Amino acid sequence: ADEFTRLVRCLRSRARLDRMPGVIFCGGELMNPGRNPELAARLLYSKPYEPWSALARAIAKPTRTANDGNTGGNEGMSAKDGASIANEMYSESSDDDSDRDDDSALEDPMHTRGGTHIVRGKRQTLPHGSSTHSPSVSSRSNTGVERKALARRRRAYFVLLLVRLAACAAPGYVHPDEYHQSVEVAAADVLGYEVTHPWEFTGKSPARSAIAPHLAAGWTYGAWGLVFKILRRVAKIQLDEEKIAPAVVFLAPRLGMFLGSLLLDDAVELCARACVVGKKTVRKTAGMDAKLACASSWPVLVLAIRPFSNSLEAVLFAVAAVVTLAKPRWYRWRVSGTLGFISAIGIWTRFTSALLFAPLALRTLTSALNFRVYPLASSILVTCVGVSTFVATALALVALDTVYYKGGGALVEVLMDPLNAYGQLVAAPYNSLRYNSDVANLAS
């Protein structure tokens, strides 16, 4: 226990890794085989050891010290140089695995990269380009060049953000639905304006959920109303609401979608970094390249900043992709629960979102099936949590739409007589799917 405590303290300081003659993580225990020969002989594997976590891979690699006979021409290395080498080795190994979930160490390590392992007292090196080397002047200069390239990319992205923000004030519209299906509905509900609702929000079977216009525009009007009250009551600033209202109705939803479009950029960057294996600078460069490609595309500059249901669908998918594919640092059942919640909101925004969220749900399930420990039980847990969260959110949205379109009395009647609920509840995705499945409706 004392040896374990000392090793943990040493590992907390990256610079002290170079002082260790050799540390391995074997049989679930962290140990120094040089000081625990009996324990090492009992725990050594008969086949190459495959570390699971970033910490295990970091400490399984050989450390370089001034007295290490295996360092070749580094006998005269100073303690400062050894500390810098240990820092580089630790950071590279941990950066490669920084996007793994807390429970991803249980997954099948078929993708683990090579390192130095101990097999019956022998040292083996698995090939994957992970052999350590002392940093040279050229590698340090390359790092400086990469950092400057990243800085240039960030400046270019900032310029693109300014262009996108300026595009929010562009007059005109791309399609009438930009106003009819979001702005007008939200302005009537939040600001109390008299408008003519489109056919999707009227009739016995509404084809649009009430949550879509309020996520696209309604919350921005509510935020403006709160700011207006604060300026008038707290700051004692008197504003002519009649003169400001047209600009608020026009700009507030676009500014809200501008903030949402930033999630698209972050999702693209994080997913690109998750798909690239290499040093931290390489992954950052790949992420920024993908981010610039997304930020400079015309759909983002023109469509993503407008209160379309398609734009809202893209933002929700981006959030789901970040949760599923990036580094949420959550257990898989939490990922599936969050994915079920976001998927329900996305489908109630546009029923076509089901095609987008299905691959993410499949990826979460296959990730649980790759667990080393109880894969079947883990997959069942992930599935149950995701499905139950989706169903609970869907029922809440059905109740919300029923109250919005038919009043609270209709919901009370359904609760009192659940057998006659069909025809009383409002399921907007089902109504939209049924309407668009009719060829006659599409032809007209």
Side-chain angles (χ1 to χ4, degrees), residues 101-104 106 323 328-341 364-365 367-368 371 377-389:
D101 299 339
D102 289 343
D103 60 343
S104 63
L106 301 176
V323 171
R329 296 296 182 190
W330 291 349
Y331 291 101
R332 280 296 154 191
W333 66 269
R334 295 181 180 177
V335 173
S336 64
T338 307
L339 182 61
F341 174 77
T364 304
L365 179 60
S367 177
F371 282 0
S378 300
S379 60
I380 292 176
L381 175 62
V382 167
T383 304
C384 291
V385 172
V387 172
S388 60
T389 306

Side-chain angles (χ1 to χ4, degrees), residues 12-330:
R12 288 177 181 174
S13 176
R14 298 181 182 179
R16 299 188 65 181
L17 284 174
D18 62 312
R19 303 180 185 177
M20 300 181 187
V23 181
I24 65 173
F25 186 84
C26 190
E29 295 191 30
L30 182 68
M31 67 174 183
N32 189 320
R35 298 185 182 180
N36 299 272
E38 296 181 358
L39 184 61
R42 188 172 76 251
L43 292 179
L44 287 179
Y45 283 81
S46 59
K47 59 181 180 179
Y49 166 68
E50 296 178 349
W52 294 356
S53 64
L55 175 62
R57 279 199 293 275
I59 61 181
K61 294 182 179 181
T63 56
R64 298 181 178 231
T65 64
N67 298 325
D68 192 353
N70 296 325
T71 57
N74 293 329
E75 287 80 359
M77 190 189 337
S78 63
K80 182 177 180 181
D81 294 336
S84 62
I85 294 173
N87 266 317
E88 183 184 9
M89 292 165 55
Y90 187 89
S91 61
E92 288 182 3
S93 61
S94 60
D95 290 337
D96 292 341
D97 207 47
S98 60
D99 58 340
R100 295 169 67 90
D101 299 339
D102 289 343
D103 60 343
S104 63
L106 301 176
E107 297 182 18
D108 193 343
M110 294 300 294
H111 60 282
T112 49
R113 291 161 286 281
T116 299
H117 311 290
I118 298 177
V119 182
R120 294 299 180 189
K122 298 180 180 180
R123 198 181 281 257
Q124 295 184 357
T125 302
L126 300 182
H128 196 280
S130 61
S131 59
T132 59
H133 59 277
S134 59
S136 60
V137 177
S138 60
S139 63
R140 293 174 182 174
S141 61
N142 291 336
T143 302
V145 172
E146 292 173 351
R147 290 179 179 176
K148 291 181 180 179
L150 280 175
R152 290 194 297 269
R153 287 174 170 85
R154 292 191 180 98
R155 289 193 293 268
Y157 175 70
F158 180 74
V159 173
L160 290 174
L161 284 185
L162 294 180
V163 175
R164 190 188 307 179
L165 184 61
C168 293
Y173 58 89
V174 176
H175 193 276
D177 287 346
E178 178 181 346
Y179 297 103
H180 296 332
Q181 294 186 1
S182 60
V183 173
E184 290 185 352
V185 177
D189 295 339
V190 179
L191 302 178
Y193 293 160
E194 294 184 3
V195 299
T196 300
H197 288 77
W199 65 268
E200 293 94 340
F201 294 86
T202 58
K204 297 181 179 180
S205 301
R208 292 284 183 179
S209 174
I211 193 174
H214 286 276
L215 286 179
W219 73 271
T220 61
Y221 296 149
W224 159 248
L226 180 61
V227 171
F228 182 78
K229 291 180 180 179
I230 294 176
L231 293 177
R232 185 174 58 183
R233 297 181 181 180
V234 179
K236 304 300 182 181
I237 298 178
Q238 298 298 327
L239 299 175
D240 191 348
E241 187 175 0
E242 294 183 358
K243 293 182 179 180
I244 299 177
V248 171
V249 172
F250 177 76
L251 289 177
R254 294 192 177 188
L255 293 178
M257 294 305 299
F258 169 80
L259 297 178
S261 68
L262 300 180
L263 296 175
L264 291 174
D265 301 338
D266 292 338
V268 170
E269 179 184 12
L270 292 175
C271 293
R273 291 176 62 177
C275 295
V276 176
V277 177
K279 294 183 180 180
K280 187 175 182 180
T281 53
V282 175
R283 297 171 63 190
K284 282 187 175 181
T285 302
M288 283 303 302
D289 288 341
K291 194 172 186 178
L292 284 175
C294 177
S296 60
S297 61
W298 76 265
V300 173
L301 293 173
V302 177
L303 302 178
I305 59 175
R306 298 173 185 267
F308 287 113
S309 59
N310 310 70
S311 303
L312 184 60
E313 179 185 32
V315 172
L316 293 173
F317 178 74
V319 175
V322 170
V323 171
T324 308
L325 302 179
K327 45 181 181 180
R329 296 296 182 190
W330 291 349

